[in-house]
Structures are given as structure tokens and as C-alpha cells.
Amino acid sequence: MIIKGYKAFNGDRTNQKGKLFEEQKIYTVEGPLVFGTKGNGIHFCERLEDTLMFFDAMNKEVAFAEVTSLEDVRESWDDYNEYYDMYAARSLRIDHFLTREEILEMYYNMPG
């Protein structure tokens, strides 16, 4: 299943486990897809703002990327915490790291 979404990183473009991610590269994991901090899979969200649940952007530098899942994806719904549209993918392509200006433009031009 192909899903477009967003993934947040530390400001140096590493994930919470310290692995560096690069634009236009595909990352893949082995084993069963499981959500959570001790889970397995490359996690991402359908909406950019939902990635902020996992990174403290108020107190540290955060990088955001547009991503595309390429195969085997699991969706998570957490009604208790109202977290929706979260995914764990077997393979994920980092399409583009967003600039601050691109993010502001994206929200400035939202319909509604």
C-alpha cells in the first residue's frame, strides 16, 4: 500500500535511535511491523502536525520530511489519546526534507 505522509526527525535528520536519514533514499526493516517505542517499522503520520506528538519541537530543533510508504503498512488508531493516522511501514522513501518556509506556506494556503 502506498501512502504519502510526514516523518519528524532530530534537527540533524536522525531518528530517535540515532540513525541518519537522507533525501531520496529508501529505508527498509525486517520482521513483523509493530507500533511503539520498542516496535518495529518505520513510523510516520499522514498529517505533519501529528508528528509533533513524538518530538518536542518547542525545546529542540526538529526536521520534517515528506515520505512515501512503498510496501506493507500498518495503521494505528489510539482513541484514548486521540492519535490517528499513524503508520508503521516496511519500506519508506524520504522524498523531501521541508524547509521552514515550505511548512509555513503549506499551512498558510490550507483551505478553510
Side-chain angles (χ1 to χ4, degrees), residues 25 27 42 51-52 59-60 65-66 76 85 88 95 97 109:
K25 288 204 174 182
Y27 298 88
I42 306 168
T51 65
L52 294 171
N59 295 305
K60 70 179 195 173
E66 294 174 325
S76 177
D85 301 322
D95 297 323
F97 278 97
N109 290 320

Side-chain angles (χ1 to χ4, degrees), residues 5-71:
Y6 300 91
K7 183 165 179 59
F9 299 88
N10 295 312
D12 62 358
R13 298 183 176 180
T14 59
N15 66 3
Q16 293 175 336
K17 296 179 181 179
K19 179 178 180 155
L20 178 66
F21 283 74
E22 298 178 49
E23 220 171 78
Q24 294 302 311
K25 288 204 174 182
I26 296 171
Y27 298 88
T28 304
V29 297
E30 300 296 324
L33 296 178
V34 180
F35 279 92
T37 55
K38 297 183 185 200
N40 186 43
I42 306 168
H43 295 72
F44 69 101
C45 297
E46 192 170 27
R47 293 184 307 267
L48 178 67
E49 60 269 22
D50 290 342
T51 65
L52 294 171
M53 293 180 284
F54 307 101
F55 282 83
D56 182 11
M58 294 297 291
N59 295 305
K60 70 179 195 173
E61 186 180 350
V62 178
F64 299 96
E66 294 174 325
V67 299
T68 303
S69 66
L70 301 175
E71 61 178 282

Side-chain angles (χ1 to χ4, degrees), residues 52-104:
L52 294 171
M53 293 180 284
F54 307 101
F55 282 83
D56 182 11
M58 294 297 291
N59 295 305
K60 70 179 195 173
E61 186 180 350
V62 178
F64 299 96
E66 294 174 325
V67 299
T68 303
S69 66
L70 301 175
E71 61 178 282
D72 199 12
V73 178
R74 299 285 185 266
E75 185 174 10
S76 177
W77 292 79
D78 182 343
D79 287 328
Y80 181 79
N81 292 305
E82 297 182 1
Y83 295 163
Y84 307 108
D85 301 322
M86 296 181 301
Y87 300 91
R90 173 139 348 269
S91 292
L92 193 75
R93 182 181 62 229
I94 307 301
D95 297 323
H96 174 67
F97 278 97
L98 295 163
T99 65
R100 179 183 185 92
E101 291 76 20
E102 288 171 322
I103 294 168
L104 292 172

